[in-house]
């Protein structure tokens, strides 16, 4: 059991909520602890705190002062990063080696990055006009509702919190119930460094609490990461309210292996690009496209890769694949494996629950070959360690298959010729794409097109998402 108190953080104080949710450790299937579960009243209180006088002062605080507080906030996050990384691994089954990077080091680094970006920032720019001149001001958008999923809970939260606070906004984080405990790491760090009361509020809870927050009259902007289905509902509400919204949604990205790709290097690269975080990653290269004349060697090598991955305790450093987050998620993934078995595809690795994992929500790394791109397992996001392999004839055919998806989040191109691979990458309709690897870059924008979302996070573009411009025409 964990020793983290199931609290919510509103207006600079910790409160015991009236409702709780049991957080289950996916590696064991046993309770990890009681997590806070915010009610609509808690959400109302959090919005009121985010609009209170001390929180509003943060908006007018000079950027250099905000940056100084954020640097202390970054250090406080860094201080507790090992603890946070372990807690997330216990909540969602993420392999600890990955958790240390994305839930431990990354949040502190990103807060520091945005502090640096606004440190010498001048909010007003003078532009000559036809008559007189114009002051173009960048102002904070206001109160931000940040809603996050369980798969990368700290990273996806800080991708909203860091730029929003740097821009001068106040934030209400509605974290997912599965990872309701680690969300408090932000509250502990905020309290420790004296972030003004109400500037950051942490209220983990369920979908109903999230929906209440999205439509709350006191919210000025919504930043959401999660499923396309929930994103659509949130987008509809925001459309009706004319409320700015950023949606980071699902994906079904392609790995295009070009005919000159090196077998060993490519398959080593797919270990991360296609299986990272037990397959519970939105930007996963889960549809692998292989040139027909190299098809047999790549199918064998990818099947061998899947079979060689170590499935087990996510707290063990040797583990490649931990459990899925919940029993429900495992059922969903097993259902897709059954759909694959009943299609014309050929199962070449995995296909079920590992025999040596009697408890917890484990699934074997699974690969289907000979998959038609129109099949459900190639079109729908499975969100587990399940890959499809589809043969293609030439580069144009590969590009057409890669773009033959309702999603448009990410992808990869693998080749010994980086320029040729980059030309192919330019033709893929996604918000990001990797050449011979895939890793988010905090200085560059990340996000989707088509059903994968609207707007960008990270980089200067991620800061602009929390600003509105105002033009003051002066004569
Ligand atoms: P989900 O959409 O069910 O839940 C995500 C969050 O939204 C949770 O906090 C949930 O409580 C809340 N929520 C759900 N319905 C809501 C509603 N109607 N109004 C307000 N809040 C609501 O997603 P999930 O299944 O928990 O997470 C997995 C999904 O997230 C996958 O589809 C994955 O691709 C996506 N994802 C996208 C990115 C990205 O950056 N594009 C990153 C990670 C995960």
């Amino acid at each position: 059991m964990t020793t983290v108190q199931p609290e919510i953080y509103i207006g600079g104080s910790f409160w015991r909520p009236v409702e709780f949710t049991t957080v289950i450790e996916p590696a064991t299937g046993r309770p990890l602890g009681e997590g806070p579960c915010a009610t609509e009243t808690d959400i109302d209180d959090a919005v009121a705190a985010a609009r209170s006088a001390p929180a509003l002062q943060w908006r007018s605080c000079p950027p250099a002062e905000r940056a100084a507080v954020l640097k202390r906030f970054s250090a406080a996050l860094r201080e507790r990063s090992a603890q946070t990384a372990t807690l997330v691994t216990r909540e969602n089954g993420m392999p600890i080696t990955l958790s240390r990077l994305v839930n431990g080091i990354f949040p502190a680094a990103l807060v520091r990055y945005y502090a640096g970006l606004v440190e010498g920032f001048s909010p007003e720019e003078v532009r000559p006009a036809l008559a007189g001149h114009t002051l173009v001001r960048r102002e904070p958008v206001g109160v931000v509702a940040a809603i996050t999923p369980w798969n990368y809970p700290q990273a996806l939260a800080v991708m909203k919190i860091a730029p929003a606070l740097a821009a001068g906004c106040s934030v209400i984080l509605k974290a997912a119930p599965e990872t309701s405990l680690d969300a408090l790491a932000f509250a502990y760090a905020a309290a420790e460094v004296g972030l003004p009361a109400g500037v950051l509020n942490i209220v983990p809870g369920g979908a109903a609490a999230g929906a209440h927050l999205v439509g709350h009259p006191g919210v000025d902007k919504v930043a959401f990461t999660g499923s396309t289905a929930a994103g659509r509902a949130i987008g509809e509400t925001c459309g009706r309210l004319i409320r700015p919204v950023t949606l980071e949604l699902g994906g079904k990205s392609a790995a295009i292996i070009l005919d000159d790709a090196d077998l060993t290097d490519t398959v080593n690269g797919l270990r991360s690009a296609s299986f990272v975080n037990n397959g519970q990653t939105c930007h996963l290269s889960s549809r692998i496209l292989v040139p027909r004349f190299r098809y047999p060697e790549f199918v064998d090598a990818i099947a061998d890769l899947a079979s060689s991955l170590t499935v087990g305790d996510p707290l063990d450093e040797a583990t490649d694949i931990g459990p899925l987050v919940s029993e429900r998620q495992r059922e969903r993934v097993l259902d897709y494996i059954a759909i694959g078995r009943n299609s014309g595809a050929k199962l070449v690795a995995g296909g079920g629950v590992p025999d040596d994992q009697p408890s917890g929500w484990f699934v074997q790394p699974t690969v289907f070959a000979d998959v038609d791109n129109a099949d459900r397992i190639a079109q729908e996001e499975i969100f587990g360690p399940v890959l499809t392999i589809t043969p293609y004839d030439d580069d144009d055919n590969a590009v057409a298959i890669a773009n033959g998806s309702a999603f448009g989040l990410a992808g990869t191109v693998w080749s010994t010729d980086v320029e040729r691979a980059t030309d192919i990458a330019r033709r893929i309709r996604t918000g990001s794409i990797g050449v011979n690897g895939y890793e988010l870059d905090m200085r560059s924008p990340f996000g989707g097109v088509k059903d994968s979302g609207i707007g960008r996070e990270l980089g200067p573009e991620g800061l602009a998402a929390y600003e509105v411009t105002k033009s003051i025409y002066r004569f």
Side-chain angles (χ1 to χ4, degrees):
M1 295 288 276
T2 168
T3 53
V4 177
Q5 291 300 314
E7 292 173 322
I8 51 180
Y9 182 68
I10 297 175
S13 300
F14 291 89
W15 306 90
R16 197 169 164 79
V18 291
E19 288 184 15
F20 300 91
T21 180
T22 303
V23 179
I24 304 283
E25 187 161 8
T28 62
R30 289 195 292 271
L32 174 62
E34 289 301 298
C37 189
T39 59
E40 293 188 1
T41 308
D42 296 327
I43 297 287
D44 293 343
D45 291 347
V47 175
R51 299 203 83 85
S52 66
L56 294 184
Q57 271 168 18
W58 180 250
R59 294 185 194 185
S60 45
C61 171
E65 275 178 38
R66 282 206 298 269
V69 176
L70 288 178
K71 282 183 183 172
R72 297 205 304 275
F73 183 51
S74 160
L77 289 171
R78 186 77 181 84
E79 187 75 17
R80 52 175 39 81
S81 63
Q83 218 177 312
T84 308
T86 303
L87 179 58
V88 174
T89 288
R90 296 194 66 190
E91 288 173 307
N92 74 359
M94 177 184 289
I96 187 68
T97 45
L98 175 66
S99 193
R100 281 189 194 129
L101 292 175
V102 297
N103 298 306
I105 292 170
F106 177 75
L110 193 69
V111 170
R112 214 179 159 77
Y113 165 72
Y114 277 113
L117 217 55
V118 297
E119 202 164 28
F121 164 84
S122 160
E124 293 185 354
E125 179 197 331
V126 180
R127 296 189 194 172
L130 278 180
H133 64 267
T134 303
L135 281 186
V136 180
R137 273 179 64 73
R138 287 159 65 184
E139 300 182 344
V141 69
V143 171
V144 172
I147 300 179
T148 48
W150 43 262
N151 61 337
Y152 288 79
Q154 289 280 310
L156 296 171
V158 82
M159 281 160 70
K160 299 160 183 56
I161 292 172
L165 295 186
C169 298
S170 45
V171 176
I172 299 131
L173 172 68
K174 205 296 288 167
E178 294 86 347
T179 46
S180 52
L181 293 167
D182 72 86
L184 288 165
F186 292 110
Y188 299 140
E192 199 173 297
V193 304
L195 196 68
V199 169
L200 179 62
N201 306 277
I202 310 290
V203 282
H212 183 68
L213 178 60
V214 168
H216 200 290
V219 165
D220 299 302
K221 146 127 199 173
V222 176
F224 172 75
T225 298
S227 62
T228 296
R232 244 183 249 290
I234 290 169
E236 280 174 18
T237 303
C238 290
R240 184 167 42 82
L241 297 171
I242 324 270
R243 179 165 293 172
V245 62
T246 306
L247 301 172
E248 299 281 6
L249 310 176
K252 189 75 184 182
S253 301
I256 305 175
I257 299 177
L258 295 185
D259 51 17
D260 63 356
D262 180 85
L263 181 76
T264 310
D265 289 352
T266 303
V267 173
N268 277 342
L270 293 178
R271 171 186 282 267
S272 161
S274 299
F275 281 113
V276 66
N277 196 21
N278 319 332
Q280 299 174 126
T281 302
C282 54
H283 57 68
L284 213 67
S285 285
S286 53
R287 287 186 294 143
I288 303 189
L289 313 185
V290 180
R292 231 174 255 287
F293 84 97
R294 300 196 62 188
Y295 194 66
E297 59 173 320
F298 268 103
V299 169
D300 287 350
I302 294 164
D304 288 349
L305 165 71
S307 306
S308 73
L309 295 173
T310 305
V311 180
D313 179 1
L315 288 168
D316 183 339
E317 300 203 354
T319 292
D320 297 309
I321 303 283
L324 298 186
V325 69
S326 62
E327 189 170 17
R328 191 175 66 114
Q329 185 69 12
R330 181 165 73 168
E331 285 313 308
R332 181 187 142 97
V333 172
L334 292 175
D335 282 350
Y336 273 110
I337 291 176
I339 290 167
R341 282 178 187 273
N342 291 326
S343 70
K346 184 174 160 199
L347 181 70
V348 294
V353 172
D355 295 336
D356 57 349
Q357 301 294 341
S359 55
W361 321 128
F362 294 89
V363 170
Q364 290 174 316
T366 296
V367 181
F368 286 100
D370 306 348
V371 176
D372 187 317
N373 194 51
D375 284 355
R376 281 187 67 190
I377 55 168
Q379 286 296 319
E380 297 175 19
E381 187 179 45
I382 297 176
F383 231 52
V386 182
L387 306 185
T388 65
I389 309 182
T390 301
Y392 70 82
D393 301 320
D394 56 21
D395 287 2
D396 287 349
N397 184 215
V399 169
I401 297 172
N403 285 333
S405 170
F407 295 108
L409 189 61
T412 45
V413 187
W414 305 84
S415 169
T416 45
D417 182 342
V418 170
E419 289 311 319
R420 181 178 162 222
T422 305
D423 275 339
I424 297 288
R426 289 187 177 103
R427 297 171 62 190
I428 305 303
R429 235 190 120 212
T430 57
S432 67
I433 186 158
V435 169
N436 294 331
Y438 187 95
E439 211 167 296
L440 297 199
D441 166 16
M442 69 179 173
R443 292 175 181 78
S444 305
F446 171 78
V449 298
K450 303 197 277 183
D451 284 3
S452 292
I454 296 171
R456 294 291 178 267
E457 295 191 308
L458 300 178
E461 293 82 358
L463 180 68
Y466 295 96
E467 296 171 335
V468 280
T469 58
K470 179 195 286 173
S471 295
I472 304 177
Y473 312 120
R474 300 208 295 191
F475 302 97

